[in-house]
Amino acid sequence: MSAQPHKSLDSHLVKACAAEVGFHACGIAAAHHIGDYAALYEWKQAHGYNADMDYLTRYSEQRYNPSVMVEGAQSVISVLLSYNPSRLMSSSPRVARYAYGEDYHERVRRMLYQLIAKLREHYPSFDGRPCTDTAPVAEKYWAWQAGLGWIGRNTLIVNPRYGTWCNLGEVITTWPADRYDQPMENRCGTCRRCQQACHNHALAEVEPSSVSATNGAETSFPVLDARRCASYHTIENRDATLPADVRLSGYLFGCDICQQACPYNEEAPVGLDVTPERMGQLEELAVCDEQTFRRTAKHSAINRIKYTQLVRNRGGK
Ligand code: SF4
Ligand code: SF4
């Protein structure tokens, strides 16, 4: 990237470009070290909450500070894309909704490049690094800082309009913006529906004082215990068998139960059109052979698992 100082991005223009590309929301945060949120990453890893997902704390310098990832980073443009599907699977078998359509890595990445191309129409020397769950970036933190939602007790970004059915992406850039968004205030209030809905008791909260002695936060940090989470076990766990006390509730891939309970999802608009043909493919995962599985999983987030995991998950409670 150029070492020359840039003029400021017009924040309204950036958001208009993001909307033109098809993102449902866009905000901009000033790049900075993520502070106490980094301490939460470390706390979770030290206490085993990440199970064996050690990659969550790899490249921590980049994850904690966008200026390490992109030298001279000034802004994090955060975008949100709803994946709330137009059709739903029955209660069993089930697949997490984020995996109904095209792999979000491919879809969001393509749209981020389109956003960068659009910005170059207005700022020819604009450059930025697109990220969507493929680089060490604290995505939920940045979505929160950019005003796209708050981190709810389900540990996900909750957007007041689109709920929690949201893919996130970022463009980290050395360009400053004329105006930065503010972090959105947490609106969970006294609601604990997600925690109560989880059969596996995988959602917890940790006191700020446990995470960081210097923490100025007054409210608890929500944490997910991956060791108890059906989403972790159906996708990330490669063992031949699953813990007997983790309930899959009909899920072959992922789990949406805590999200289904969220009141902010009740009126969330549809963000992803799913064809009847695709629904048929997803339903068939309960019985299909490996060749059919490969066809269904291609260009889908389902590709994250192997056929042997699918067969194992079919036997879950
Ligand atoms: S994804 Fe499922 S198992 Fe994991 S926290 Fe949510 S409800 Fe619990
Ligand atoms: S279910 Fe309630 S507590 Fe959980 S994220 Fe949604 S609003 Fe927050």
Side-chain angles (χ1 to χ4, degrees), residues 104 115 123 145 148 163 173 191 225 241 244 248 260 264 289 313:
Y104 66 94
L115 173 59
Y123 308 102
Q145 291 292 304
L148 298 187
T173 179
C191 174
D225 188 345
T241 57
L248 305 190
Q260 284 167 3
Y264 288 96
D289 60 16
N313 296 346

Side-chain angles (χ1 to χ4, degrees), residues 46-250:
H47 289 79
Y49 277 60
N50 292 336
D52 62 356
M53 296 184 288
D54 295 342
Y55 63 85
L56 291 175
T57 45
R58 277 191 214 129
Y59 305 107
S60 52
E61 282 188 24
Q62 285 99 320
R63 193 182 305 277
Y64 301 162
N65 191 350
S67 296
V68 177
M69 171 103 74
V70 174
E71 192 182 344
Q74 295 273 332
S75 307
V76 180
I77 302 170
S78 182
V79 290
L80 179 153
L81 183 67
S82 164
Y83 61 80
N84 192 22
S86 55
R87 290 183 167 80
L88 292 177
M89 296 178 75
S90 59
S91 59
S92 182
R94 288 194 275 189
V95 165
R97 296 183 194 187
Y98 80 84
Y100 278 22
E102 181 188 4
D103 185 347
Y104 66 94
H105 298 98
E106 296 178 19
R107 187 170 174 226
V108 175
R109 174 167 286 268
R110 186 172 62 240
M111 292 171 69
L112 287 172
Y113 277 113
Q114 289 168 354
L115 173 59
I116 290 170
K118 281 229 162 287
L119 289 171
R120 283 187 182 142
E121 290 172 13
H122 302 279
Y123 308 102
S125 62
F126 177 82
D127 204 357
R129 176 162 176 177
C131 309
T132 177
D133 198 26
T134 46
V137 176
E139 296 204 296
K140 291 182 275 186
Y141 175 84
W142 289 111
W144 168 45
Q145 291 292 304
L148 298 187
W150 66 94
I151 299 172
R153 289 198 171 96
N154 56 14
T155 74
L156 301 172
I157 276 291
V158 189
N159 177 278
R161 177 162 160 75
Y162 294 99
T164 64
W165 313 116
C166 303
N167 293 136
L168 302 174
E170 305 77 33
V171 177
I172 302 174
T173 179
T174 52
W175 285 60
D178 64 349
R179 183 185 160 277
Y180 288 111
D181 292 285
Q182 295 301 309
M184 190 176 286
E185 193 178 330
N186 191 308
R187 302 186 197 172
C188 282
T190 57
C191 174
R192 292 183 186 276
R193 285 201 213 173
C194 49
Q195 293 174 335
Q196 290 158 354
C198 178
H199 300 136
N200 295 317
H201 309 291
L203 294 171
E205 285 173 70
V206 58
E207 291 304 315
S209 57
S210 305
V211 172
S212 166
T214 60
N215 191 314
E218 290 171 7
T219 54
S220 307
F221 291 107
V223 285
L224 172 74
D225 188 345
R227 297 165 298 190
R228 307 265 347 129
C229 178
S231 187
Y232 163 77
H233 283 292
T234 55
I235 301 170
E236 302 293 337
N237 185 340
R238 299 283 169 106
D239 296 345
T241 57
L242 296 178
D245 60 343
V246 172
R247 287 173 60 181
L248 305 190
S249 309

Side-chain angles (χ1 to χ4, degrees), residues 270-281:
V270 166
L272 179 74
D273 188 35
V274 183
T275 63
E277 185 194 4
R278 180 62 180 167
M279 292 309 288
Q281 291 171 349

